[in-house]
Amino acid sequence: IQSLMKGVLLPDLPSDTPMRLVVADYEQLEMRIMAHMSGDITMIDTILEGKDLHSMTAALAVGADYDAIVAAKKADSPTKEQKDLIVVRSNMKAVGFGLLYGIGAVKLGSQLGLPLLKRASRRTGRNYEVCPEAEDLIEKYFSIYPNVRRFIEDTREQCSDDLYVQTIVGRYRRLPDILS
């Protein structure tokens, strides 16, 4: 354990003092909170059934078998088809977590290595980037979990009106510059 903890400040303990390394995984905690807050039945049912939410999202996104995606993820030497399923799962996972933290299509596309296109604004003539493939992934995600879209939109609207958001336990976060 000492070799695993290099650079971590530990109290001076005798070398024979037993130590344990604890690893905690909150099993998609943010996604579980989103399921609760949005009330999305598909998301809630997937979690209650004990299924991997990212694998289910990928299965629903491409019409694949859930068990095939789980098997692909666990495969020691995945086939080409399994690798493709793993990429779909990874992409949909990035979409899900990204949306929770306010990601847009251009940033998502950049993270996933998708092509970004330059467009010129009709109004200003300035160039800006778009990522149609990432936009499609986001739309696919929202088609699978429509209440997530509604929750995000409602939260943005409420924040714009009231200039604050509120946590699940009632704590306020004031955002007076949200409209700037």
Side-chain angles (χ1 to χ4, degrees):
I1 295 235
Q2 296 266 346
S3 64
L4 293 173
M5 303 291 288
K6 281 189 179 176
V8 175
L9 297 176
L10 296 174
D12 291 328
L13 299 172
S15 61
D16 61 343
T17 302
M19 301 177 84
R20 292 179 194 243
L21 177 64
V22 177
V23 177
D25 180 1
Y26 290 104
E27 296 190 30
Q28 306 165 354
L29 180 64
E30 295 101 325
M31 303 308 288
R32 291 169 181 264
I33 292 170
M34 177 55 78
H36 173 78
M37 297 293 288
S38 70
D40 194 279
I41 291 299
T42 304
M43 193 177 269
I44 291 169
D45 286 348
T46 299
I47 292 167
L48 291 177
E49 291 168 9
K51 294 184 176 178
D52 176 70
L53 188 61
H54 305 305
S55 294
M56 180 59 78
T57 304
L60 294 170
V62 296
D65 181 59
Y66 168 81
D67 292 326
I69 293 176
V70 172
K73 184 181 166 219
K74 292 179 180 179
D76 290 331
S77 300
T79 65
K80 164 81 170 88
E81 293 79 19
Q82 287 177 318
K83 287 178 183 176
D84 291 343
L85 292 175
I86 292 168
V87 168
V88 171
R89 183 189 181 279
S90 177
N91 287 352
M92 295 312 290
K93 179 178 179 179
V95 173
F97 279 116
L99 289 172
L100 292 179
Y101 292 100
I103 200 166
V106 173
K107 179 72 172 177
L108 177 65
S110 177
Q111 284 182 1
L112 297 178
L114 301 174
L116 302 177
L117 305 175
K118 298 270 187 205
R119 297 261 165 87
S121 170
R122 290 184 205 152
R123 191 171 55 90
T124 65
R126 290 187 184 154
N127 286 334
Y128 63 96
E129 292 182 319
V130 295
C131 186
E133 288 183 49
E135 290 170 6
D136 290 345
L137 288 174
I138 291 170
E139 283 307 311
K140 178 61 78 173
Y141 191 91
F142 284 146
S143 73
I144 296 167
Y145 305 117
N147 282 9
V148 171
R149 176 197 300 263
R150 191 171 303 115
F151 173 74
I152 290 171
E153 289 173 353
D154 289 350
T155 302
R156 283 183 179 151
E157 185 177 326
Q158 178 271 320
C159 186
S160 294
D161 292 345
D162 301 334
L163 305 180
Y164 71 86
V165 290
Q166 198 170 359
T167 69
I168 195 170
V169 294
R171 179 174 276 161
Y172 286 85
R173 170 69 188 238
R174 297 188 193 294
L175 301 166
D177 298 327
I178 196 69
L179 302 177
S180 65

